[in-house]
Amino acid sequence: MSCVHKKIEAALDRWDESHWYLHQIEEHYHNADALRYSMNAFIRSLREIPDMIAMALQNHEGFPAWHKPIRKSLEKEDFLFSQIIRHRNHIVHKSMLKPKSKAFVASIRGYTIKMQFGFYVDPFEDSDLAIERFIKMSKSNPTLMQALSPDEVQALALVREWHIEGYDEEIIESFRNSWLRVNEYLSEIMVFLGGDAFPTGLPPCFKDSRNFRYKKYHDFQARLYTFT
């Protein structure tokens, strides 16, 4: 670790933690409670970074005055990060995190949606339970499954989107963008301290968000004959 990194070691560790929570959000995208907990942890870890930077460098010559407008730009002027702060304050002082959920059942080939039906999924409901409801419903209304026509080529899928209140972009994309914005903020600090800026853009470990939003059910026929 370089001497520059050492000066803000705790904040960079929290930065690594936020990266890890982003992948937890991806992994648990269709598990409602685990997703909410991962979102909460990501928001907390990202929100704490400016405070940790300010504390670590409060006695560094010239830093507090230089940092004040940089931090303001992040926390007050950047819409997405200001939403992160608002949600963190709400979670800490008022209530639990309840993101918005919307979903539809679809027949897909790869990433191409061939047919879809809007389908209500409660924000506290796991996707597996939701697809079970849909398949049970299709037993009394076979035209639903016939219209979707899933087969060996086209898979039945539940396509889900989560949003935080006040922001229209889906959470994987919006949280990745907020993570990149903090990357930019930390890069400015690194340069101020005499170090190198961080690489721009997402690391290669981040995949197409549709890998996580589209949950396929190749065993729908077995499920169809199992549910009563």
Side-chain angles (χ1 to χ4, degrees), residues 17-218:
E17 183 181 327
S18 70
H19 181 166
W20 188 80
Y21 283 126
L22 266 181
H23 288 303
Q24 292 301 300
I25 289 169
E26 295 170 345
E27 180 179 346
H28 296 298
Y29 200 85
H30 291 273
N31 183 328
D33 284 344
L35 176 76
R36 290 191 303 110
Y37 303 155
S38 299
M39 289 174 63
N40 189 2
F42 173 78
I43 290 171
R44 174 192 55 78
S45 60
L46 209 66
R47 172 65 186 95
E48 291 172 353
I49 290 172
D51 290 335
M52 298 176 78
I53 290 289
M55 182 169 294
L57 298 174
Q58 60 185 326
N59 296 319
H60 190 283
E61 184 179 357
F63 181 80
W66 175 86
H67 182 233
K68 185 175 180 180
I70 301 298
R71 181 173 181 172
K72 180 181 178 182
S73 175
L74 174 67
E75 295 183 338
K76 304 294 185 183
E77 299 170 10
D78 183 90
F79 177 75
L80 180 55
F81 201 86
S82 68
Q83 291 296 106
I84 291 287
I85 293 174
R86 189 173 69 83
H87 280 277
R88 177 57 184 158
N89 291 339
H90 179 78
I91 294 164
V92 169
H93 299 295
K94 295 182 180 180
S95 184
M96 63 185 177
L97 176 65
K98 184 181 179 182
K100 295 181 178 180
S101 171
K102 67 178 181 179
F104 53 89
V105 178
S107 179
I108 64 174
R109 181 183 299 171
Y111 288 141
T112 303
I113 296 174
K114 313 301 286 188
M115 178 68 72
Q116 68 183 46
F117 291 107
F119 188 64
Y120 175 74
V121 181
D122 188 272
F124 295 104
E125 184 178 20
D126 292 349
S127 295
D128 286 350
L129 295 177
I131 205 69
E132 287 180 9
R133 287 196 295 109
F134 180 83
I135 293 177
K136 285 180 181 179
M137 186 173 62
S138 71
K139 294 184 73 171
S140 60
N141 186 4
T143 56
L144 286 175
M145 197 64 74
Q146 292 170 3
L148 288 168
S149 301
D151 53 29
E152 294 81 5
V153 178
Q154 296 182 177
L156 181 71
L158 185 69
V159 180
R160 197 163 190 176
E161 282 191 15
W162 293 92
H163 299 261
I164 58 173
E165 184 181 355
Y167 202 72
D168 294 333
E169 193 174 30
E170 182 274 332
I171 61 163
I172 290 180
E173 300 300 332
S174 62
F175 281 12
R176 285 177 179 179
N177 287 335
S178 65
W179 191 84
L180 286 172
R181 178 63 182 88
V182 175
N183 177 77
E184 177 185 327
Y185 162 76
L186 288 172
S187 288
E188 291 184 79
I189 293 167
M190 292 294 293
V191 172
F192 175 87
L193 295 174
D196 296 325
F198 292 133
T200 59
L202 289 169
C205 56
F206 290 105
K207 309 301 181 185
D208 190 314
S209 64
R210 291 175 295 184
N211 286 332
F212 312 104
R213 295 192 296 109
Y214 295 14
K215 184 163 187 180
K216 298 179 182 179
Y217 293 89
H218 294 287

